[in-house]
Amino acid sequence: MTTPDAPPALSGNQKRRMKSASRLYAVQALYQMEAAGQTAEKVQSEFLDYRFGAEIEEGVEMLEGDIELFGRITSSAVNWQAKIDQMTDRALVAKWPIARIDPTLRALFRAAGAEFVDSDAPPRVVISEYVDVARAFFPEGREAKFVNAVLDHMAREAKPEAF
């Protein structure tokens, strides 16, 4: 039973889209934190105030995100960054340490790594979601296949029992 003031319950598809949006926003936030040298708290606040559900141009709105998931990913990526970067380095070719890769991909690996290290999300779901994020950022390139391979390696290290 719902009260007259309660918002309608979200469908499973709406919840899934909000989680996907939060993962995309988390990658953007981690990129911004590194590029601008900003703290997680500052960037999280900015995203919640100005990005989630914001109108970016007339008639075009950004999706609402799952605020809790966004906060957990960005905070965990910062808190576990050394461990995540080490996992990423082990998944990359020896000549390409994480410091040499594209900063967008670095942010993506950190966001996904945060979920591998500090969440109960099934690794295969996390991989699929972040491969989709890679396609959003690099629609013409081979990055999605690269991301899939690196994340598969990271997931098998972080959660071998899931495979």
Side-chain angles (χ1 to χ4, degrees), residues 23 26-27 30 72-89 91 98 105-121 123 126-127 130 147 150-159:
R23 288 177 168 115
V27 171
L30 291 168
R72 192 169 57 241
I73 293 169
T74 52
S75 294
S76 293
V78 170
N79 294 337
W80 294 96
Q81 182 175 326
K83 180 176 182 165
I84 294 165
D85 285 357
Q86 290 167 1
M87 282 182 6
T88 306
D89 275 339
I98 192 166
L105 290 175
R106 191 167 40 248
L108 186 149
F109 293 141
R110 287 176 177 156
E115 291 201 61
F116 294 145
V117 170
D118 197 26
S119 115
D120 293 331
V126 173
I127 292 168
Y130 285 100
V147 165
V150 172
L151 293 183
D152 182 70
H153 189 281
M154 291 172 66
R156 288 174 189 277
E157 178 181 331
K159 295 192 174 183

Side-chain angles (χ1 to χ4, degrees), residues 8-139:
L10 297 171
S11 71
N13 189 45
Q14 287 171 310
K15 289 178 186 176
R16 185 189 59 73
R17 289 181 64 217
M18 287 174 72
K19 285 182 178 188
S20 294
S22 292
R23 288 177 168 115
L24 176 73
Y25 295 156
V27 171
Q28 292 173 323
L30 291 168
Y31 174 90
Q32 181 175 326
M33 287 166 47
E34 181 178 338
Q38 296 175 321
T39 65
E41 295 77 20
K42 180 175 170 75
V43 173
Q44 287 168 342
S45 178
E46 178 186 319
F47 269 74
L48 296 178
D49 291 345
Y50 300 108
R51 306 254 179 124
F52 277 49
E55 187 170 330
I56 51 177
E57 57 185 60
E58 185 139 350
V60 178
E61 286 186 12
M62 294 181 74
L63 288 172
E64 278 295 336
D66 179 322
I67 294 169
E68 183 181 322
L69 178 62
F70 171 78
R72 192 169 57 241
I73 293 169
T74 52
S75 294
S76 293
V78 170
N79 294 337
W80 294 96
Q81 182 175 326
K83 180 176 182 165
I84 294 165
D85 285 357
Q86 290 167 1
M87 282 182 6
T88 306
D89 275 339
R90 286 189 290 273
L92 295 168
V93 181
K95 293 181 182 177
W96 287 98
I98 192 166
R100 284 190 63 190
I101 65 170
D102 179 273
T104 303
L105 290 175
R106 191 167 40 248
L108 186 149
F109 293 141
R110 287 176 177 156
E115 291 201 61
F116 294 145
V117 170
D118 197 26
S119 115
D120 293 331
R124 293 178 199 277
V125 170
V126 173
I127 292 168
S128 176
E129 287 280 315
Y130 285 100
V131 167
D132 287 345
V133 170
R135 285 188 186 110
F137 284 114
F138 305 99

